[in-house]
Amino acid sequence: QQVWRAKFSSLAPVDLRKAMNTLGSPNEDEARSVDARQEIDLKLGCSFTRFQTKYFQGKYGDLDTNLISYGPCQTPTLWFCVKRHDEITSFQPENYYTVDAEISKAGKDLHLEWQRGQVFDLPTASTFRDMVAQNNAPANVVEITQKEDRMPRPQALNTVAMLKMASTRLGIGPQQA
């Protein structure tokens, strides 16, 4: 009897179809590697679960749980959660400045966005505002307004945010993350 293996890292229908259309023979070395990892994960998980359950129950007798589970796969996830929690609790709002321009001609308005986005330095923002407001500029400045707006506190990390962060900060695509 022949055994076939589908290789995929995403549950997206397109990826599953591709995996089913490119079935291959199982690799014995990969299979043994998976078996070894499963056994190590099981032994390490059981040992460390027992250790930390005994440790924390002895240290904090009023724990409302009989078991404090540990698994090697939980560690990276826990790191992301703790890091995000630290970002949220240590967040300090910071003032920033933008130059927003709107052109009106013949009763039609066109909103222009500053390609630079935002700056965190008032003198720099003022310099750009003054450049736009100069008398020899090809447009007339009719109003300059200022408003206060702050960057919001970071939100808790959800799967979409984690994938976006992995992509932008680590250069890892969704299928690798």
Side-chain angles (χ1 to χ4, degrees):
Q1 178 179 358
Q2 182 66 35
V3 175
W4 298 99
R5 172 139 173 21
K7 292 185 179 184
F8 57 93
S9 59
S10 164
L11 296 178
V14 67
D15 294 325
L16 292 175
R17 279 199 253 348
K18 181 180 175 189
M20 294 305 291
N21 290 331
T22 57
L23 296 173
S25 297
N27 180 313
E28 190 173 338
D29 292 335
E30 288 176 353
R32 288 183 184 187
S33 173
V34 169
D35 289 342
R37 277 196 306 268
Q38 284 179 333
E39 190 171 339
I40 290 169
D41 286 352
L42 178 63
K43 289 180 178 180
L44 183 63
C46 288
S47 299
F48 201 69
T49 294
R50 180 178 168 83
F51 167 75
Q52 70 182 12
T53 299
K54 296 279 187 196
Y55 176 80
F56 286 116
Q57 283 178 341
K59 189 166 183 141
Y60 308 103
D62 59 345
L63 283 179
D64 61 351
T65 182
N66 293 329
L67 182 73
I68 301 172
S69 176
Y70 170 83
C73 297
Q74 296 166 338
T75 304
T77 305
L78 179 60
W79 177 83
F80 274 114
C81 294
V82 169
K83 184 175 184 298
R84 190 60 169 185
H85 174 73
D86 289 346
E87 289 174 357
I88 291 169
T89 56
S90 66
F91 178 76
Q92 293 294 316
E94 191 175 357
N95 290 330
Y96 66 91
Y97 308 91
T98 62
V99 175
D100 297 320
E102 190 172 291
I103 297 174
S104 295
K105 185 159 183 157
K108 295 188 178 186
D109 296 336
L110 175 63
H111 179 77
L112 304 176
E113 286 189 25
W114 190 25
Q115 190 174 11
R116 184 166 178 172
Q118 58 195 26
V119 293
F120 295 91
D121 179 51
L122 180 58
T124 302
S126 298
T127 299
F128 282 104
R129 181 201 61 210
D130 295 344
M131 287 169 55
V132 172
Q134 288 177 352
N135 288 339
N136 61 356
N140 293 329
V141 175
V142 262
E143 180 184 12
I144 295 176
T145 58
Q146 293 180 313
K147 66 179 181 176
E148 186 173 317
D149 197 6
R150 293 178 181 253
M151 300 268 304
R153 180 181 297 273
Q155 296 299 309
L157 193 63
N158 61 28
T159 304
V160 173
M162 185 211 54
L163 291 173
K164 187 176 179 182
M165 184 185 301
S167 176
T168 57
R169 293 189 184 174
L170 302 175
I172 298 173
Q175 276 128 2
Q176 289 92 6

